[in-house]
Amino acid sequence: MNQATLHQLKVFEAAARHSSFTRAAEELFLTQPTVSMQIKQLTKSVGLPLFEQVGKRLYLTEAGRELFATCRQIFDNIAQYEMKVADLKGLKQGQLRLAVITTAKYFIPRLLGPFCELYPGIDISLQVTNHEQILERMSQNLDDLYIMSQIPDNIDVTCEPFLENPLIVFAPTNHPLSKEKNIPIQRLSNEPFIMREPGSGTRRAVQKLFEEEGVTVKVKLELGSNEAIKQAIAGGLGISVLSRHTLLSDTSEFSILDVQHFPIQRHWYMVYPSGKQLSIVARAYYEYLLAAAKNFVEQNVDPVSNSAFEPSHG
C-alpha cells in the first residue's frame, strides 16, 4: 500500500460503491480505461485482488471489502479536517446573530467587546427583545444563539446555563427595611410593589415564590421594562424584584433588601433549536461565553455585600 495514492483510493471507492467501473468513470469525469488503470495499479500496490467478476456482475473480494471500509473512514476524516480548516478560516470574517432577553442587555455588551477584539472581522447583530418575541424569532430560525433566563417549554431546544441570574428585592436607598437583616418574606405584604408585566419570566418566578410562602403583595404598578421599574423605585413609588444584573452600573439610588428566600436563584442560558447546526462563528462565541462568564462574575461583585451572589436565607 506504500505506493497507493489518494486519487487511486477515490477511484476505487467510487467503483466499489457502484459495483461498476463505468459508473465510477461517469461520476469522476474520467474515461473507463483510466479507471481500470487506476484500479490495476492499486491492486498491484495492495498485492491482492480487490474485485472479482461473476458473469456480468462485479463483486468486492475480502481484501476489497476491507479497503472499501478503510476508504470510507479516510474520506470521513479528510472531510472533517477540511471542515475544521474552513471553520478556522471562517473566524476571520462572518456574522454572529444574537437575540437576547431584555435584562441581558445589562451584561451581554460587556461580554461581546472582548470577543470583537479577538475577531475584528466578525459583524455582530444584536436583537434585544422580550420573551415572546424571542420565541417568535426562534421559531423562524432568525438568529444563531438566544440568551434567555427561561427555557422554552413548547420548542425543542438545546440549552446551556452559563451565568447565574439571581433575583433580588430592590428598594430606594432610604427605605426603612434597608438596615434590617433576614427580613421575613411576609413583611413584603405591607409594601407597595412594582411588578413586571404579566408573562414576564421574572414575574412568574416571583409569583411562584410568593404562592409557596403564602404571601400576597399589593401591586401598585405594572411596568414593561426594568429601566421603568428602577426609575419608579428611585422615585419612592415602591419596591420590586429584579435581576441582580440590572444593578451592575447603577448602585447609588437603590438598596438590596435582605429578605428571607431571596435571592431567587435562576440562570442565564444559551439556547438554540435542537438540530440546528451552529456556524463556526456561533460555536466560537458559544465556547467563549462559557469561559468569559466565569471572569464576569469575579469582576462584578455585589457592591453592597462584596460578594457576587449572597446565599438565600431559610
Side-chain angles (χ1 to χ4, degrees):
M1 284 291 292
N2 291 338
Q3 303 302 317
T5 66
L6 186 60
H7 178 63
Q8 290 172 354
L9 294 178
K10 287 181 177 179
V11 171
F12 167 77
E13 190 275 337
R17 179 160 35 83
H18 291 297
S19 297
S20 168
F21 286 8
T22 301
R23 293 184 62 186
E26 292 173 352
E27 177 182 311
L28 299 173
F29 301 101
L30 301 172
T31 64
Q32 184 171 335
T34 299
V35 170
S36 298
M37 179 60 67
Q38 295 296 318
I39 297 296
K40 182 177 180 180
Q41 292 175 350
L42 182 60
T43 300
K44 182 178 179 182
S45 178
V46 171
L48 290 171
L50 300 175
F51 292 96
E52 58 183 357
Q53 188 164 349
V54 179
K56 295 184 178 180
R57 295 286 305 274
L58 195 65
Y59 296 91
L60 287 170
T61 64
E62 183 177 355
R65 288 192 295 271
E66 290 293 331
L67 182 58
F68 181 60
T70 300
C71 283
R72 301 303 292 268
Q73 293 177 359
I74 291 172
F75 296 147
D76 284 346
N77 289 336
I78 290 174
Q80 291 178 12
Y81 173 74
E82 289 175 342
M83 287 177 61
K84 290 180 179 178
V85 170
D87 286 347
L88 291 173
K89 292 178 179 178
L91 278 177
K92 295 180 181 178
Q93 59 184 8
Q95 185 176 41
L96 175 65
R97 298 169 301 172
L98 294 177
V100 306
I101 210 73
T102 307
T103 308
K105 71 179 182 181
Y106 293 99
F107 64 89
I108 283 296
R110 302 186 184 201
L111 295 175
L112 275 174
F115 182 79
C116 293
E117 292 179 2
L118 284 173
Y119 307 110
I122 294 176
D123 296 324
I124 296 178
S125 169
L126 178 62
Q127 298 290 329
V128 180
T129 186
N130 59 29
H131 185 77
E132 287 74 16
Q133 287 299 314
I134 288 278
L135 296 183
E136 179 65 23
R137 294 184 66 85
M138 192 180 300
S139 69
Q140 297 180 39
N141 195 30
L142 295 179
D143 309 282
D144 297 310
L145 290 171
Y146 302 86
I147 307 299
M148 311 176 67
S149 59
Q150 181 181 348
I151 302 172
D153 54 13
N154 58 346
I155 301 177
D156 189 16
V157 298
T158 298
C159 61
E160 178 80 25
F162 69 95
L163 185 65
E164 290 186 4
N165 179 30
L167 302 182
I168 57 178
V169 184
F170 279 51
T173 52
N174 59 353
H175 194 280
L177 294 179
S178 62
K179 304 299 183 183
E180 297 191 22
K181 298 294 183 182
N182 200 19
I183 302 165
I185 191 172
Q186 288 75 17
R187 294 276 295 278
L188 299 184
S189 300
N190 302 324
E191 300 294 326
F193 226 85
I194 306 168
M195 281 283 196
R196 283 292 302 266
E197 76 284 4
S200 159
T202 298
R203 179 163 181 161
R204 280 195 288 267
V206 173
Q207 288 180 324
K208 181 175 182 291
L209 175 61
F210 285 167
E211 289 171 4
E212 291 173 351
E213 299 301 321
V215 174
T216 302
V217 297
K218 298 177 290 187
V219 179
K220 184 172 182 177
L221 284 174
E222 289 184 352
L223 297 172
S225 76
N226 294 322
E227 285 304 311
I229 290 177
K230 287 167 65 176
Q231 291 300 318
I233 296 171
L237 297 179
I239 65 173
S240 187
V241 176
L242 293 172
S243 167
R244 173 67 186 80
H245 292 114
T246 65
L247 199 62
L248 284 177
S249 60
D250 188 6
T251 62
S252 60
E253 296 182 290
F254 306 100
S255 60
I256 299 173
L257 301 188
D258 183 17
V259 181
Q260 291 177 352
H261 305 289
F262 283 90
I264 301 174
Q265 294 295 353
R266 305 178 80 209
H267 286 87
W268 290 107
Y269 297 89
M270 282 184 287
V271 182
Y272 60 93
S274 295
K276 179 182 178 69
Q277 296 296 315
L278 293 183
S279 68
I280 178 57
V281 173
R283 175 59 62 182
Y285 187 68
Y286 186 100
E287 295 174 355
Y288 160 82
L289 198 54
L290 289 176
K294 297 178 182 178
N295 294 330
F296 180 80
V297 171
E298 295 171 358
Q299 295 169 6
N300 293 277
V301 297
D302 190 314
V304 175
S305 66
N306 270 345
S307 62
F309 306 108
E310 294 183 17
S312 60
H313 300 287

